[in-house]
Amino acid sequence: MRTTINAPIGVFDSGTGGLTVARGIAKHLPQEQIVYFGDTIHLPYGDKSEETILNYCYKISDWLLDKGCKIIVIACNTASAVSYEHLKKYLEGKALVISVIEPMVEAVVKSACKHIGLIATPRTITSNIYSNKLQLKNPVLKVSPKVTRSLASIIEEGMFAHQPVMRAIIAYYLNDPVLRNIDSLILGCTHYPIIREAIQAHLGEHITVFDSTDIVAHYVKKLLIAKNLLCNTPSNKPHEFYISDYTTGFARTAEMFFGDAITVQHCPLWES
Ligand code: DGL
């Protein structure tokens, strides 16, 4: 692997959602530098074809490699479902790569939960990736999936700030009978942690909510330690945030997702 301990951690998503993953990494691995790419020009990924999403993922990975990243975190469930196995081969010997799905599966399997609800984009749900991976580890687990088609776009638009609207949308999706009798819910989209509290309030405290923010950060830390790539002195380089399309209000939304003031730069990746 042609990389060093001090190289940055690359994180990408279709938009701001992956910033919830970046936020977890910044919290649990404060000595690391993060380079973030949000492909806002192509958001949402969730209803695009596999081929299209895969092409985006290759191009973004090349760009993160050019930035010298030692590990690439696919901070998007949709992109993880489609591209993880391909990127593992593509990036072999160049950088480590993780998806957000394996860490989540590991956390669910370790818990006592047996009937797991899953909310995610159409592409993630139709891939069956969560049910396949969970049932491979424990065939007793029951997974009840529910497509929440517009939720990522609604959150991206900043609607999460309007609590009555958000509560109504959450009720619309989560009152689906398919989610009756679940003991837990996977937030299968990295945009959803931003409305975790509202989701938990709707479900009640007796339902365990799995959100990728901390789970993925712990997984990254374990992997970097195992590969002797964990930075042990604080990086003096600031985190870098790039998006492919500068949308109105993005910086404000991005700060809420990341939980800290950030400078967002436009990266015209698709114009070259
Ligand atoms: N954040 C992405 C995910 O985790 C979903 C948003 C989209 O559809 O682009 O699946």
Side-chain angles (χ1 to χ4, degrees), residues 157-245:
E157 264 181 59
M159 207 73 91
F160 57 85
H162 303 281
Q163 286 188 19
V165 178
M166 230 35 251
R167 276 199 294 269
I169 292 167
I170 288 169
Y172 167 74
Y173 282 127
L174 298 193
N175 287 345
D176 190 308
V178 79
L179 296 177
R180 203 174 285 149
N181 300 325
I182 55 170
D183 58 20
S184 51
L185 182 73
I186 294 176
L187 305 188
C189 169
T190 53
H191 281 72
Y192 303 168
I194 203 81
I195 54 164
R196 179 194 172 132
E197 275 178 31
I199 290 175
Q200 186 81 66
H202 179 85
L203 294 172
E205 288 302 322
H206 61 294
I207 308 282
T208 305
V209 174
F210 290 98
D211 124 24
S212 48
T213 312
D214 293 326
I215 291 172
V216 173
H218 290 307
Y219 196 91
V220 171
K221 188 171 182 177
K222 259 196 329 201
L223 183 61
L224 290 180
I225 291 172
K227 301 288 179 187
N228 282 324
L229 281 174
L230 188 74
C231 199
N232 33 34
T233 49
S235 162
N236 49 16
K237 295 189 194 135
H239 301 316
E240 295 174 20
F241 300 91
Y242 300 87
I243 46 173
S244 51
D245 188 26

Coordinates of all heavy atoms in Angstrom, one line a residue, residues 157-245:
E157 N -32.8 19.4 1.5 CA -33.4 20.7 1.2 C -33.5 21.5 2.5 O -33.9 22.7 2.4 CB -34.9 20.5 0.8 CG -35.1 20.5 -0.7 CD -36.5 20.3 -1.0 OE1 -37.4 21.1 -0.6 OE2 -36.8 19.3 -1.7
G158 N -33.2 20.9 3.6 CA -33.2 21.7 4.9 C -34.5 21.6 5.6 O -34.7 22.3 6.6
M159 N -35.4 20.7 5.2 CA -36.7 20.6 5.8 C -36.7 20.1 7.2 O -37.6 20.2 8.0 CB -37.6 19.7 4.9 CG -39.0 19.9 5.0 SD -39.5 21.4 4.1 CE -39.8 20.7 2.5
F160 N -35.5 19.4 7.6 CA -35.4 18.8 8.9 C -35.6 19.9 10.0 O -35.9 19.6 11.1 CB -34.1 18.1 9.1 CG -32.9 18.9 8.8 CD1 -32.4 19.7 9.8 CD2 -32.3 19.0 7.6 CE1 -31.2 20.5 9.6 CE2 -31.2 19.8 7.3 CZ -30.7 20.5 8.3
A161 N -35.4 21.2 9.6 CA -35.5 22.2 10.6 C -36.9 22.5 11.0 O -37.2 23.2 12.0 CB -34.8 23.5 10.1
H162 N -37.9 22.1 10.1 CA -39.3 22.4 10.3 C -39.9 21.2 11.0 O -40.4 20.3 10.4 CB -40.0 22.7 9.0 CG -39.4 23.8 8.3 ND1 -39.6 25.2 8.6 CD2 -38.5 23.9 7.3 CE1 -38.9 25.9 7.8 NE2 -38.2 25.2 7.0
Q163 N -39.9 21.3 12.4 CA -40.3 20.0 13.1 C -41.7 19.5 12.8 O -41.8 18.3 12.6 CB -40.1 20.3 14.6 CG -38.7 20.3 15.0 CD -38.5 20.4 16.5 OE1 -39.3 20.1 17.3 NE2 -37.3 20.8 16.8
P164 N -42.7 20.3 12.7 CA -44.1 19.7 12.4 C -44.1 19.0 11.1 O -44.7 17.9 11.0 CB -45.0 21.0 12.4 CG -44.3 22.0 13.2 CD -42.8 21.8 13.0
V165 N -43.4 19.6 10.1 CA -43.4 19.0 8.8 C -42.6 17.7 8.8 O -43.1 16.6 8.3 CB -42.6 19.9 7.7 CG1 -42.5 19.3 6.4 CG2 -43.3 21.3 7.7
M166 N -41.5 17.7 9.5 CA -40.7 16.5 9.6 C -41.4 15.4 10.4 O -41.4 14.2 10.0 CB -39.4 16.9 10.4 CG -38.1 16.4 9.8 SD -37.9 16.4 8.0 CE -37.9 14.7 7.6
R167 N -42.1 15.8 11.5 CA -42.9 14.8 12.2 C -43.9 14.1 11.3 O -44.1 12.9 11.4 CB -43.5 15.4 13.5 CG -42.6 15.5 14.7 CD -43.4 15.7 15.9 NE -44.1 17.0 16.0 CZ -43.6 18.1 16.5 NH1 -42.3 18.1 17.0 NH2 -44.3 19.2 16.5
A168 N -44.6 14.9 10.5 CA -45.6 14.4 9.6 C -45.0 13.4 8.6 O -45.6 12.4 8.3 CB -46.4 15.5 8.9
I169 N -43.9 13.8 8.1 CA -43.2 13.0 7.0 C -42.8 11.6 7.7 O -43.0 10.6 7.1 CB -42.1 13.7 6.4 CG1 -42.6 14.9 5.5 CG2 -41.2 12.8 5.5 CD1 -41.6 15.9 5.1
I170 N -42.2 11.7 8.9 CA -41.7 10.5 9.6 C -42.9 9.6 9.9 O -42.9 8.4 9.6 CB -41.0 10.9 10.9 CG1 -39.6 11.5 10.5 CG2 -40.8 9.7 11.8 CD1 -38.9 12.2 11.7
A171 N -44.0 10.2 10.3 CA -45.2 9.4 10.6 C -45.7 8.7 9.3 O -46.1 7.5 9.3 CB -46.3 10.3 11.2
Y172 N -45.7 9.5 8.2 CA -46.2 8.9 6.9 C -45.4 7.7 6.5 O -45.9 6.7 6.1 CB -46.0 10.0 5.8 CG -46.2 9.5 4.4 CD1 -47.4 9.1 3.9 CD2 -45.1 9.4 3.6 CE1 -47.5 8.7 2.6 CE2 -45.2 8.9 2.3 CZ -46.4 8.6 1.8 OH -46.5 8.1 0.6
Y173 N -44.1 7.8 6.7 CA -43.2 6.6 6.3 C -43.2 5.5 7.4 O -43.4 4.3 7.0 CB -41.8 7.1 6.1 CG -41.5 7.7 4.8 CD1 -40.9 9.0 4.7 CD2 -41.9 7.1 3.5 CE1 -40.7 9.6 3.5 CE2 -41.6 7.7 2.3 CZ -41.0 9.0 2.3 OH -40.8 9.6 1.1
L174 N -43.1 5.9 8.6 CA -42.9 4.8 9.6 C -44.2 4.2 10.1 O -44.1 3.1 10.8 CB -42.1 5.4 10.8 CG -40.7 5.9 10.6 CD1 -39.9 6.1 11.9 CD2 -39.9 5.0 9.7
N175 N -45.3 4.7 9.8 CA -46.6 4.1 10.2 C -46.9 2.9 9.2 O -48.0 2.3 9.4 CB -47.7 5.1 10.3 CG -47.6 6.0 11.5 OD1 -46.8 5.6 12.4 ND2 -48.3 7.1 11.6
D176 N -46.1 2.7 8.3 CA -46.4 1.6 7.3 C -46.5 0.3 8.1 O -45.6 0.0 8.9 CB -45.2 1.5 6.3 CG -45.6 0.6 5.2 OD1 -45.9 -0.6 5.5 OD2 -45.4 1.0 4.0
P177 N -47.5 -0.5 7.9 CA -47.7 -1.8 8.6 C -46.5 -2.7 8.5 O -46.3 -3.6 9.4 CB -48.9 -2.4 8.0 CG -49.6 -1.3 7.3 CD -48.6 -0.2 7.0
V178 N -45.7 -2.6 7.5 CA -44.5 -3.5 7.3 C -43.6 -3.3 8.5 O -42.8 -4.2 8.9 CB -43.8 -3.2 6.0 CG1 -42.9 -2.0 6.0 CG2 -43.0 -4.4 5.5
L179 N -43.6 -2.1 9.2 CA -42.7 -1.9 10.3 C -43.3 -2.2 11.7 O -42.7 -2.0 12.7 CB -42.2 -0.5 10.3 CG -41.4 0.0 9.1 CD1 -41.0 1.4 9.1 CD2 -40.1 -0.9 8.9
R180 N -44.5 -2.8 11.6 CA -45.2 -3.2 12.9 C -44.4 -4.3 13.6 O -43.9 -5.2 12.9 CB -46.6 -3.7 12.5 CG -47.6 -3.6 13.7 CD -49.0 -4.0 13.3 NE -49.6 -2.9 12.5 CZ -50.6 -3.2 11.5 NH1 -50.9 -4.4 11.2 NH2 -51.1 -2.2 10.9
N181 N -44.3 -4.2 14.9 CA -43.6 -5.2 15.7 C -42.1 -5.3 15.6 O -41.5 -6.3 16.0 CB -44.2 -6.6 15.5 CG -45.7 -6.7 15.8 OD1 -46.1 -6.0 16.7 ND2 -46.4 -7.4 15.0
I182 N -41.5 -4.3 15.0 CA -40.0 -4.3 14.9 C -39.5 -4.0 16.3 O -40.2 -3.3 17.1 CB -39.4 -3.3 13.9 CG1 -40.0 -1.8 14.2 CG2 -39.7 -3.7 12.5 CD1 -39.3 -0.8 13.4
D183 N -38.3 -4.5 16.7 CA -37.7 -4.2 17.9 C -36.5 -3.2 17.7 O -35.9 -2.7 18.7 CB -37.2 -5.4 18.7 CG -36.2 -6.2 17.9 OD1 -35.6 -5.7 17.0 OD2 -36.0 -7.4 18.3
S184 N -36.2 -2.9 16.4 CA -35.1 -2.0 16.1 C -35.3 -1.4 14.7 O -36.0 -2.0 13.9 CB -33.8 -2.8 16.2 OG -33.9 -3.9 15.4
L185 N -34.6 -0.4 14.4 CA -34.6 0.2 13.1 C -33.3 0.7 12.7 O -32.6 1.4 13.4 CB -35.6 1.5 13.1 CG -35.8 2.2 11.8 CD1 -36.7 1.3 10.9 CD2 -36.4 3.5 12.0
I186 N -32.9 0.2 11.5 CA -31.6 0.7 10.9 C -31.9 1.9 10.1 O -32.8 1.9 9.2 CB -31.0 -0.4 10.0 CG1 -30.6 -1.6 10.7 CG2 -29.8 0.2 9.2 CD1 -30.1 -2.8 9.8
L187 N -31.2 3.0 10.4 CA -31.2 4.2 9.5 C -30.3 3.9 8.4 O -29.1 4.1 8.4 CB -30.8 5.4 10.3 CG -31.6 5.7 11.6 CD1 -31.2 7.1 12.2 CD2 -33.1 5.6 11.4
G188 N -30.8 3.4 7.3 CA -30.0 2.8 6.2 C -29.7 3.9 5.1 O -29.6 3.6 3.9
C189 N -29.5 5.1 5.6 CA -29.1 6.2 4.7 C -28.4 7.2 5.6 O -28.9 7.5 6.7 CB -30.4 6.9 4.0 SG -30.0 8.4 3.2
T190 N -27.3 7.7 5.1 CA -26.5 8.6 6.0 C -27.1 10.0 6.2 O -26.6 10.7 7.0 CB -25.0 8.7 5.5 OG1 -25.1 9.1 4.1 CG2 -24.3 7.3 5.6
H191 N -28.1 10.3 5.5 CA -28.8 11.5 5.7 C -29.7 11.4 7.0 O -30.0 12.4 7.6 CB -29.8 11.9 4.6 CG -29.1 12.5 3.4 ND1 -28.3 11.7 2.6 CD2 -29.0 13.7 2.9 CE1 -27.8 12.5 1.6 NE2 -28.2 13.7 1.8
Y192 N -30.2 10.2 7.4 CA -31.2 10.1 8.4 C -30.7 10.4 9.8 O -31.6 10.8 10.6 CB -31.8 8.7 8.3 CG -32.5 8.3 7.0 CD1 -32.9 7.0 6.7 CD2 -32.7 9.3 6.0 CE1 -33.4 6.7 5.5 CE2 -33.2 8.9 4.7 CZ -33.6 7.6 4.5 OH -34.1 7.3 3.3
P193 N -29.4 10.2 10.2 CA -29.1 10.5 11.6 C -29.4 12.0 12.0 O -29.6 12.2 13.1 CB -27.5 10.3 11.6 CG -27.3 9.2 10.5 CD -28.3 9.6 9.4
I194 N -29.5 12.8 11.0 CA -29.8 14.2 11.3 C -31.3 14.3 11.9 O -31.6 15.3 12.6 CB -29.6 15.1 10.1 CG1 -29.4 16.6 10.5 CG2 -30.7 15.1 9.1 CD1 -28.0 16.9 10.9
I195 N -32.1 13.4 11.6 CA -33.5 13.4 12.2 C -33.7 12.2 13.1 O -34.8 11.8 13.4 CB -34.6 13.4 11.1 CG1 -34.4 12.2 10.1 CG2 -34.6 14.7 10.3 CD1 -35.6 11.9 9.2
R196 N -32.6 11.7 13.6 CA -32.7 10.5 14.5 C -33.6 10.8 15.7 O -34.4 9.9 16.1 CB -31.2 10.2 15.0 CG -31.3 9.0 16.0 CD -30.0 8.8 16.7 NE -30.2 7.8 17.7 CZ -29.4 6.7 17.9 NH1 -28.3 6.6 17.2 NH2 -29.7 5.8 18.8
E197 N -33.4 12.0 16.4 CA -34.2 12.2 17.6 C -35.7 12.2 17.3 O -36.5 11.6 18.0 CB -33.9 13.6 18.1 CG -32.7 13.5 19.1 CD -32.3 14.8 19.6 OE1 -33.1 15.7 19.8 OE2 -31.1 15.0 19.8
A198 N -36.1 12.8 16.1 CA -37.5 12.8 15.8 C -38.0 11.3 15.5 O -39.1 11.0 15.8 CB -37.7 13.7 14.6
I199 N -37.1 10.6 14.8 CA -37.5 9.2 14.5 C -37.6 8.4 15.9 O -38.6 7.6 16.0 CB -36.4 8.5 13.6 CG1 -36.5 9.1 12.2 CG2 -36.6 7.0 13.6 CD1 -35.4 8.7 11.3
Q200 N -36.7 8.6 16.8 CA -36.7 7.9 18.1 C -38.0 8.3 18.8 O -38.7 7.4 19.4 CB -35.5 8.2 18.9 CG -35.4 7.4 20.2 CD -34.8 6.0 20.0 OE1 -33.7 5.8 19.6 NE2 -35.6 5.0 20.3
A201 N -38.3 9.6 18.8 CA -39.5 10.0 19.5 C -40.8 9.4 18.9 O -41.7 9.0 19.6 CB -39.6 11.6 19.4
H202 N -40.8 9.2 17.6 CA -41.9 8.6 16.9 C -42.1 7.2 17.3 O -43.2 6.7 17.6 CB -41.8 8.8 15.4 CG -43.0 8.1 14.7 ND1 -44.2 8.8 14.5 CD2 -43.1 6.9 14.2 CE1 -45.0 8.0 13.9 NE2 -44.4 6.8 13.7
L203 N -40.9 6.5 17.4 CA -41.0 5.0 17.6 C -41.1 4.7 19.1 O -41.7 3.6 19.4 CB -39.6 4.4 17.1 CG -39.3 4.4 15.6 CD1 -37.9 3.9 15.4 CD2 -40.3 3.5 14.9
G204 N -40.6 5.5 20.0 CA -40.6 5.2 21.4 C -39.2 4.7 21.8 O -38.5 4.1 20.9
E205 N -38.9 4.8 23.1 CA -37.6 4.4 23.5 C -37.3 2.9 23.5 O -36.2 2.5 23.6 CB -37.3 5.0 25.0 CG -37.1 6.5 25.0 CD -35.9 7.0 24.2 OE1 -34.9 6.3 24.1 OE2 -36.1 8.1 23.6
H206 N -38.4 2.1 23.5 CA -38.2 0.7 23.5 C -37.7 0.1 22.2 O -37.3 -1.0 22.1 CB -39.6 0.0 23.8 CG -40.6 0.3 22.8 ND1 -41.2 1.5 22.6 CD2 -41.3 -0.5 21.9 CE1 -42.1 1.5 21.7 NE2 -42.2 0.2 21.2
I207 N -37.6 1.0 21.1 CA -37.1 0.5 19.8 C -35.6 1.0 19.7 O -35.3 2.2 19.9 CB -37.9 1.1 18.6 CG1 -39.4 0.8 18.8 CG2 -37.3 0.6 17.3 CD1 -39.8 -0.6 18.5
T208 N -34.7 0.1 19.4 CA -33.3 0.5 19.3 C -33.1 1.1 17.9 O -33.5 0.5 16.9 CB -32.4 -0.7 19.4 OG1 -32.7 -1.4 20.6 CG2 -30.9 -0.4 19.3
V209 N -32.5 2.3 17.8 CA -32.2 2.9 16.5 C -30.7 2.8 16.2 O -29.9 3.2 17.0 CB -32.7 4.4 16.5 CG1 -32.3 5.0 15.2 CG2 -34.2 4.5 16.7
F210 N -30.4 2.2 15.1 CA -29.0 2.0 14.7 C -28.7 3.1 13.7 O -29.3 3.2 12.6 CB -28.8 0.6 14.0 CG -28.8 -0.5 15.0 CD1 -30.0 -1.2 15.1 CD2 -27.7 -0.8 15.8 CE1 -30.1 -2.3 16.0 CE2 -27.8 -1.9 16.7 CZ -29.0 -2.6 16.8
D211 N -27.7 3.9 14.0 CA -27.3 5.0 13.1 C -25.8 5.0 12.9 O -25.1 4.6 13.8 CB -27.9 6.3 13.7 CG -27.0 7.5 14.0 OD1 -25.9 7.5 13.4 OD2 -27.3 8.3 14.8
S212 N -25.4 5.2 11.7 CA -24.0 4.9 11.3 C -22.9 5.9 11.9 O -21.7 5.6 11.9 CB -23.9 4.9 9.8 OG -24.5 6.1 9.3
T213 N -23.4 7.0 12.5 CA -22.4 8.0 12.9 C -21.2 7.5 13.7 O -20.1 7.6 13.3 CB -23.1 9.1 13.7 OG1 -24.3 9.5 12.9 CG2 -22.2 10.4 13.9
D214 N -21.5 6.9 14.9 CA -20.4 6.4 15.7 C -20.0 5.0 15.3 O -18.8 4.7 15.4 CB -20.9 6.3 17.2 CG -21.2 7.7 17.8 OD1 -20.5 8.7 17.4 OD2 -22.1 7.9 18.6
I215 N -20.9 4.2 14.8 CA -20.6 2.8 14.5 C -19.5 2.8 13.4 O -18.5 2.0 13.5 CB -21.9 2.1 14.0 CG1 -22.9 1.9 15.2 CG2 -21.6 0.8 13.3 CD1 -24.2 1.4 14.8
V216 N -19.6 3.6 12.4 CA -18.6 3.6 11.3 C -17.3 4.2 11.8 O -16.2 3.6 11.4 CB -19.2 4.4 10.0 CG1 -18.1 4.5 9.0 CG2 -20.4 3.7 9.5
A217 N -17.4 5.2 12.6 CA -16.1 5.8 13.1 C -15.3 4.7 13.9 O -14.1 4.6 13.7 CB -16.4 7.0 14.0
H218 N -16.0 3.9 14.7 CA -15.3 2.9 15.5 C -14.7 1.9 14.6 O -13.6 1.4 14.8 CB -16.2 2.2 16.5 CG -16.6 3.1 17.6 ND1 -15.7 3.8 18.4 CD2 -17.8 3.5 18.1 CE1 -16.3 4.6 19.3 NE2 -17.6 4.4 19.1
Y219 N -15.4 1.6 13.5 CA -14.9 0.5 12.6 C -13.7 1.1 11.8 O -12.7 0.3 11.6 CB -16.1 0.3 11.6 CG -15.9 -0.9 10.7 CD1 -16.5 -2.1 11.1 CD2 -15.3 -0.9 9.5 CE1 -16.4 -3.3 10.4 CE2 -15.2 -2.1 8.7 CZ -15.8 -3.2 9.1 OH -15.8 -4.4 8.3
V220 N -13.7 2.3 11.4 CA -12.5 2.9 10.8 C -11.3 2.9 11.7 O -10.2 2.5 11.3 CB -12.8 4.4 10.3 CG1 -11.6 5.1 9.8 CG2 -13.9 4.4 9.3
K221 N -11.6 3.2 12.9 CA -10.5 3.3 13.9 C -9.8 1.9 14.1 O -8.6 1.7 14.0 CB -11.0 3.8 15.3 CG -9.9 4.0 16.3 CD -10.5 4.7 17.5 CE -9.4 5.0 18.5 NZ -9.8 5.8 19.6
K222 N -10.7 0.9 14.2 CA -10.2 -0.5 14.4 C -9.4 -0.9 13.2 O -8.3 -1.5 13.3 CB -11.4 -1.5 14.5 CG -11.7 -1.9 15.9 CD -12.6 -3.1 16.0 CE -13.6 -3.3 15.0 NZ -14.7 -4.1 15.3
L223 N -9.9 -0.6 12.0 CA -9.2 -1.0 10.7 C -7.8 -0.2 10.6 O -6.8 -0.9 10.3 CB -10.0 -0.7 9.5 CG -9.5 -1.1 8.2 CD1 -9.3 -2.6 8.1 CD2 -10.4 -0.6 7.0
L224 N -7.8 1.1 10.9 CA -6.5 1.8 10.8 C -5.5 1.3 11.8 O -4.3 1.2 11.5 CB -6.8 3.3 11.0 CG -7.5 4.0 9.9 CD1 -7.7 5.5 10.3 CD2 -6.8 3.9 8.6
I225 N -6.0 0.9 13.0 CA -5.1 0.3 14.0 C -4.5 -1.0 13.5 O -3.3 -1.2 13.5 CB -5.8 0.1 15.4 CG1 -6.1 1.5 16.0 CG2 -4.9 -0.7 16.3 CD1 -6.9 1.4 17.3
A226 N -5.4 -1.8 13.0 CA -5.0 -3.1 12.5 C -4.0 -3.0 11.3 O -3.1 -3.9 11.2 CB -6.2 -3.9 12.0
K227 N -4.1 -2.0 10.5 CA -3.2 -1.8 9.4 C -2.0 -0.8 9.7 O -1.3 -0.4 8.8 CB -4.0 -1.2 8.2 CG -5.1 -2.1 7.7 CD -4.6 -3.3 7.0 CE -5.8 -4.2 6.6 NZ -5.4 -5.5 6.0
N228 N -1.9 -0.5 11.0 CA -0.8 0.4 11.4 C -0.9 1.8 10.7 O 0.2 2.3 10.3 CB 0.6 -0.2 11.2 CG 0.9 -1.2 12.3 OD1 0.6 -1.0 13.4 ND2 1.6 -2.3 11.9
L229 N -2.1 2.2 10.5 CA -2.2 3.5 9.7 C -2.9 4.6 10.5 O -3.4 5.6 10.0 CB -3.0 3.2 8.4 CG -2.2 2.6 7.3 CD1 -3.2 2.3 6.1 CD2 -1.1 3.6 6.8
L230 N -3.1 4.3 11.8 CA -3.7 5.3 12.7 C -2.7 6.4 13.0 O -1.7 6.2 13.5 CB -4.3 4.7 14.0 CG -5.1 5.6 14.8 CD1 -6.5 5.8 14.2 CD2 -5.3 5.1 16.2
C231 N -3.2 7.7 12.7 CA -2.3 8.8 13.0 C -2.2 9.0 14.5 O -3.2 9.1 15.2 CB -3.0 10.0 12.4 SG -2.0 11.4 12.1
N232 N -0.9 9.1 15.0 CA -0.8 9.2 16.5 C -0.5 10.6 16.9 O -0.4 10.8 18.1 CB 0.1 8.1 17.1 CG 1.2 7.8 16.1 OD1 1.7 8.7 15.4 ND2 1.7 6.5 16.1
T233 N -0.2 11.5 16.0 CA 0.0 12.9 16.4 C -1.0 13.7 15.6 O -1.3 13.4 14.5 CB 1.4 13.4 16.0 OG1 1.7 13.0 14.7 CG2 2.5 12.8 16.9
P234 N -1.5 14.7 16.3 CA -2.6 15.5 15.6 C -2.2 16.1 14.3 O -1.1 16.6 14.1 CB -2.9 16.6 16.6 CG -2.3 16.2 17.9 CD -1.2 15.3 17.6
S235 N -3.0 15.9 13.3 CA -2.7 16.5 12.0 C -2.8 18.0 12.1 O -3.7 18.5 12.7 CB -3.8 16.0 10.9 OG -3.8 16.8 9.8
N236 N -1.9 18.7 11.5 CA -2.0 20.2 11.5 C -2.7 20.7 10.3 O -2.8 21.9 10.0 CB -0.6 20.9 11.7 CG 0.4 20.3 10.7 OD1 0.0 19.7 9.7 ND2 1.7 20.5 11.0
K237 N -3.2 19.8 9.5 CA -4.0 20.2 8.2 C -5.5 20.2 8.5 O -6.0 19.3 9.1 CB -3.7 19.2 7.1 CG -2.2 19.2 6.7 CD -2.1 18.4 5.4 CE -0.7 18.0 5.2 NZ -0.5 16.6 4.8
P238 N -6.1 21.3 8.1 CA -7.6 21.4 8.4 C -8.3 20.4 7.5 O -7.8 20.0 6.4 CB -7.9 22.8 8.0 CG -6.9 23.2 7.1 CD -5.6 22.5 7.4
H239 N -9.5 20.0 7.9 CA -10.4 19.1 7.1 C -10.7 19.9 5.8 O -10.8 21.1 5.8 CB -11.7 18.8 7.8 CG -11.5 18.1 9.1 ND1 -10.6 17.0 9.2 CD2 -12.1 18.2 10.3 CE1 -10.6 16.6 10.5 NE2 -11.5 17.3 11.2
E240 N -10.9 19.2 4.7 CA -11.3 19.8 3.5 C -12.6 19.3 3.0 O -12.9 18.0 3.1 CB -10.2 19.5 2.4 CG -8.9 20.1 2.7 CD -7.8 19.7 1.7 OE1 -8.2 19.3 0.6 OE2 -6.6 19.8 2.1
F241 N -13.5 20.2 2.6 CA -14.9 19.8 2.1 C -15.1 20.3 0.7 O -15.0 21.5 0.5 CB -15.9 20.4 3.1 CG -15.8 19.9 4.5 CD1 -15.0 20.6 5.4 CD2 -16.4 18.7 5.0 CE1 -14.8 20.2 6.7 CE2 -16.2 18.3 6.3 CZ -15.4 19.0 7.1
Y242 N -15.5 19.4 -0.1 CA -15.8 19.7 -1.5 C -17.1 19.2 -2.0 O -17.6 18.1 -1.5 CB -14.7 19.1 -2.5 CG -13.3 19.5 -2.2 CD1 -12.5 18.8 -1.2 CD2 -12.7 20.6 -2.8 CE1 -11.2 19.2 -0.9 CE2 -11.4 21.0 -2.5 CZ -10.7 20.3 -1.6 OH -9.4 20.7 -1.3
I243 N -17.8 20.0 -2.8 CA -19.1 19.5 -3.4 C -19.0 19.8 -4.9 O -18.4 20.7 -5.4 CB -20.3 20.2 -2.8 CG1 -20.1 21.7 -2.6 CG2 -20.6 19.6 -1.4 CD1 -21.3 22.4 -2.2
S244 N -19.8 19.0 -5.6 CA -19.7 19.1 -7.1 C -20.7 20.2 -7.6 O -20.6 20.6 -8.8 CB -20.0 17.7 -7.8 OG -21.2 17.2 -7.3
D245 N -21.6 20.6 -6.8 CA -22.5 21.7 -7.2 C -22.9 22.5 -6.0 O -23.3 22.0 -5.0 CB -23.8 21.1 -7.8 CG -24.7 22.1 -8.4 OD1 -24.2 23.1 -8.9 OD2 -25.9 21.9 -8.5

